[in-house]
């Protein structure tokens, strides 16, 4: 079986990949934008220099002093570190900052010259046959009364542009590497911050499983994990209470049985009346122990069968199931002159496990009988509401304080332990009702007013 990775190794790589993807995207966009920006700046610079040359040589072109134009080109070219060329409309070169214009070829076929003559300005990025390298050219026509006198062309080697961009890319690369390292460190810190509380909860849960029920989980800063820690702590409190209650509920009858057996051994057995009374008490406590064990086994079976999906569900009429539960509780109800009223449509059906629903309803009726006064009344109403089936058991008993309602379905949780034990309760009946409702995909609720009684409702899906 392949070993599972820790949570941090699920979170950290994802954070890191996202950070690197964002960084690469930003770097690419920045590089692309810088390249365009720098090329535009070079073009603007070449245009500005061409305009400057135009201002100085236009009068000289009009006068026809071409050798002076070549001298100006060579002087200005050194000053502004830019190649400057002056070409007549027929393509004849009359001035160049780098070469002898007499030795230069006719430039009438150069694309930037053609553009300038036809549309005032022109530019191109191409290989120079004269210089033997790639150049960026900008050309502008010099006009006099709409007549083109000449074309001024400025240019720089593309290598200079590439060198500047390479230097810029190098800075971007180093900055990106630094940001990558920082992003990796931050991702690690964030991943550890997220996974550490979960690791602590895992260790605590393992401690719970091994029997360390006294510890509590620290509450993390994040709302979701804090809620999870609170739920785990509450679950452990429930488990701790359950263990304490089971111990108490089992120990109480065992202690009584042991005490009465010792009394019998010490001579009470020779006194028939006392021996009979003691044996009746022992039998009563034994019955109570048996009830507790039976209820615990019922809960265990419910959980196991639910997990393994062994329960069988059939679509059946509900009224016979309710009547059967009422019949099973009839003797106890009649002993207190309590009447059961049933309101259920004869044709109402639901997909249920009949035995379990009968048990749940019986538990609620038994509970109602125990806590109702002599001559009380219990109403069982079964109806369909919003696509669900509601089985409502209402009594006229003593009721339950609001402070107990949230925990009333916990195992062994009873409002009045002494009274419950006196009435023969195990503290597991309502927990069984809750589990039966849950295995049917439903739930259970309770409403109560002290002195007026309780209303328990089992909710079941119709299908």
């Amino acid at each position: 079986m392949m070993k599972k990775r820790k949570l941090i190794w699920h979170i950290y790589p994802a954070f890191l990949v996202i950070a690197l993807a964002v960084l690469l995207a930003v770097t690419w966009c920045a590089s692309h934008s810088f390249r365009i920006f720098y090329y535009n700046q070079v073009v603007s610079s070449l245009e500005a220099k061409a305009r400057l040359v135009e201002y100085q040589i236009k009068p000289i072109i009009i006068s026809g002093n071409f050798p002076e134009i070549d001298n100006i080109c060579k002087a200005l070219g050194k000053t502004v570190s830019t190649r400057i060329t002056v070409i007549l409309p027929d393509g004849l070169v009359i001035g160049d900052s780098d070469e002898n214009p007499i030795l230069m070829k006719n430039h009438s076929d150069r694309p930037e010259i053609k553009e300038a003559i036809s549309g005032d300005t022109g530019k191109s990025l191409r290989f120079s046959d004269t210089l033997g390298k790639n150049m960026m050219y900008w050309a502008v026509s010099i006009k006099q009364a709409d007549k083109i006198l000449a074309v001024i062309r400025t240019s720089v080697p593309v290598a200079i542009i590439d060198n500047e961009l390479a230097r810029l890319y190098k800075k971007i690369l180093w900055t990106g590497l630094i940001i990558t390292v920082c992003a990796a460190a931050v991702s690690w810190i964030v991943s550890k911050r997220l996974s550490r509380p979960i690791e602590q909860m895992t260790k605590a849960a393992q401690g719970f499983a091994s029997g360390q029920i006294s510890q509590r989980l620290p509450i993390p800063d994040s709302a979701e994990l804090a809620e999870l820690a609170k739920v785990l702590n509450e679950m452990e409190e429930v488990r701790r209470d359950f263990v304490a209650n089971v111990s108490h509920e089992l120990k109480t009858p065992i202690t009584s049985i042991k005490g009465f057996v010792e009394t019998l051994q010490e001579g009470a057995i020779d006194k028939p009346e006392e021996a009979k009374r003691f044996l009746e008490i022992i039998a009563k406590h034994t019955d109570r122990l048996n009830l507790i064990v039976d209820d615990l086994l019922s809960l265990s079976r419910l959980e196991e069968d639910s997990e393994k999906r062994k329960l069988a569900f059939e679509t059946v009429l509900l009224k016979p199931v309710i009547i059967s539960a009422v019949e099973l509780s009839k003797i106890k109800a009649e002993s207190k002159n309590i009447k059961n009223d049933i309101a259920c449509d004869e044709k109402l059906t639901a997909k249920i496990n009949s035995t379990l629903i009968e048990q749940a309803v019986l538990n609620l009726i038994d509970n109602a009988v125990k806590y109702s006064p002599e001559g009380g009344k219990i109403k069982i109403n079964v109806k369909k509401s919003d696509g669900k089936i509601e089985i409502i058991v209402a009594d006229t008993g003593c009721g339950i304080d609001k402070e107990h309602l949230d925990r009333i379905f916990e195992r062994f949780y009873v409002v009045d332990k002494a009274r419950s034990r006196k009435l023969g309760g195990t503290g597991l009946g309502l927990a069984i009702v809750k589990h039966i409702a849950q295995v049917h995909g439903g739930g259970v609720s309770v409403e109560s007013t002290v002195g007026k009684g309780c209303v328990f409702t089992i909710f079941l899906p119709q299908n």
Side-chain angles (χ1 to χ4, degrees):
M1 185 178 178
M2 193 166 70
K3 188 177 179 182
K4 293 187 180 295
R5 292 183 298 166
K6 287 189 174 182
L7 179 63
I8 189 170
W9 295 115
H10 287 276
I11 299 173
Y12 177 62
F15 274 146
L16 193 57
V17 167
I18 292 170
L20 289 175
V22 171
L23 181 62
L24 287 173
V26 171
T27 301
W28 183 86
C29 290
S31 301
H32 184 67
S33 299
F34 276 129
R35 186 177 182 84
I36 294 172
F37 173 77
Y38 192 75
Y39 268 87
N40 289 336
Q41 286 295 102
V42 171
V43 170
S44 297
S45 175
L46 291 175
E47 181 182 8
K49 290 170 182 176
R51 298 294 184 188
L52 178 63
V53 174
E54 176 189 6
Y55 176 75
Q56 294 193 40
I57 69 171
K58 185 175 181 179
I60 301 173
I61 291 175
I62 294 172
S63 68
N65 188 358
F66 294 163
E68 180 62 21
I69 290 173
D70 186 52
N71 291 334
I72 292 173
C73 286
K74 286 179 169 56
L76 287 176
K78 290 179 181 179
T79 303
V80 297
S81 300
T82 303
R83 186 185 180 193
I84 302 171
T85 309
V86 180
I87 305 103
L88 293 177
D90 61 0
L92 179 67
V93 178
I94 59 174
D96 189 85
S97 59
D98 292 359
E99 302 290 334
N100 185 345
I102 296 174
L103 302 176
M104 295 176 68
K105 294 178 181 180
N106 189 286
H107 277 41
S108 61
D109 61 342
R110 304 302 194 263
E112 66 277 3
I113 303 301
K114 290 181 178 180
E115 282 186 38
I117 290 173
S118 62
D120 293 336
T121 63
K123 64 178 179 179
S124 67
L125 184 67
R126 61 179 177 81
F127 183 78
S128 171
D129 293 329
T130 305
L131 300 177
K133 53 186 173 183
N134 288 319
M135 300 287 288
M136 176 177 275
Y137 295 100
W138 173 267
V140 60
S141 60
I142 302 172
K143 293 182 178 180
Q144 177 72 26
D146 293 333
K147 180 183 178 182
I148 297 175
L149 303 176
V151 174
I152 299 172
R153 187 184 70 182
T154 52
S155 61
V156 292
V158 173
I160 294 176
I161 301 173
D162 291 340
N163 289 339
E164 284 297 315
L165 286 173
R167 187 173 61 83
L168 183 62
Y169 292 160
K170 192 174 181 180
K171 288 183 179 179
I172 292 174
L173 178 62
W174 279 107
T175 304
L177 287 173
I178 293 170
I179 293 173
T180 299
V181 172
C182 293
V186 171
S187 297
W188 178 261
I189 292 169
V190 171
S191 299
K192 286 292 288 182
R193 186 177 177 84
L194 287 174
S195 64
R196 189 180 295 113
I198 297 176
E199 289 174 357
Q200 291 174 344
M201 290 181 195
T202 301
K203 289 179 181 177
Q206 290 170 345
F208 293 162
S210 63
Q212 300 173 19
I213 61 175
S214 59
Q215 63 178 341
R216 287 181 61 83
L217 286 172
I219 305 300
D221 294 331
S222 64
E224 294 83 0
L225 292 178
E227 191 63 29
L228 177 59
K230 288 178 182 176
V231 170
L232 286 174
N233 284 333
E234 287 173 5
M235 287 174 64
E236 190 53 29
E237 285 179 8
V238 171
R239 180 186 174 189
R240 190 163 53 241
D241 290 347
F242 174 70
V243 171
N245 285 330
V246 167
S247 301
H248 178 74
E249 293 297 328
L250 292 177
K251 189 175 181 180
T252 300
I254 290 172
T255 302
S256 297
I257 291 170
K258 183 181 178 183
F260 286 114
V261 169
E262 289 175 351
T263 303
L264 288 170
Q265 288 174 337
E266 290 172 0
I269 196 168
D270 297 326
K271 301 175 181 178
E273 289 186 7
E274 285 190 17
K276 182 181 178 183
R277 185 169 63 87
F278 290 163
L279 288 172
E280 287 175 351
I281 294 172
I282 290 171
K284 181 180 178 183
H285 285 298
T286 303
D287 290 340
R288 177 170 170 74
L289 275 175
N290 190 52
L291 284 173
I292 293 172
V293 172
D294 283 347
D295 282 350
L296 284 171
L297 288 173
S298 296
L299 278 171
S300 178
R301 278 194 297 269
L302 272 173
E303 293 172 347
E304 183 180 354
D305 290 347
S306 176
E307 288 176 3
K308 294 182 179 179
R309 302 186 181 276
K310 290 182 178 178
L311 296 174
F313 298 90
E314 294 179 325
T315 301
V316 298
L317 293 170
L318 283 172
K319 190 165 186 179
V321 178
I322 303 302
I323 291 173
S324 179
V326 170
E327 287 297 319
L328 290 171
S329 64
K330 191 173 183 180
I331 295 174
K332 291 181 181 178
E334 288 178 348
S335 67
K336 295 180 71 174
N337 196 26
I338 293 173
K339 292 184 178 180
N340 289 309
D341 289 339
I342 301 173
C344 179
D345 189 327
E346 299 281 350
K347 297 181 180 180
L348 187 58
T349 63
K351 193 172 184 179
I352 60 172
N353 181 294
S354 300
T355 303
L356 290 182
I357 293 300
E358 180 186 288
Q359 179 66 52
V361 175
L362 177 60
N363 284 9
L364 291 179
I365 296 173
D366 276 349
N367 213 52
V369 171
K370 287 175 188 174
Y371 295 98
S372 291
E374 290 279 343
K377 186 177 289 187
I378 299 171
K379 293 182 179 180
I380 301 103
N381 184 19
V382 185
K383 63 180 182 178
K384 184 166 66 174
S385 176
D386 297 327
K388 294 181 180 180
I389 301 295
E390 295 181 3
I391 302 174
I392 304 167
V393 179
D395 64 54
T396 54
C398 57
I400 304 169
D401 282 328
K402 287 184 179 180
E403 63 182 286
H404 299 290
L405 294 180
D406 290 339
R407 301 190 62 189
I408 200 69
F409 295 101
E410 291 177 16
R411 302 177 191 190
F412 290 113
Y413 187 86
V414 290
V415 177
D416 187 340
K417 290 186 178 181
R419 185 176 183 183
S420 176
R421 196 172 295 117
K422 182 180 178 181
L423 294 172
T426 64
L428 294 169
L430 293 179
I432 291 173
V433 172
K434 175 185 173 183
H435 276 71
I436 290 173
Q438 287 176 343
V439 299
H440 281 79
V444 62
S445 69
V446 59
E447 297 175 3
S448 181
T449 303
V450 175
K452 292 186 178 180
C454 298
V455 178
F456 286 88
T457 304
I458 298 174
F459 300 93
L460 301 174
Q462 189 171 7
N463 298 311

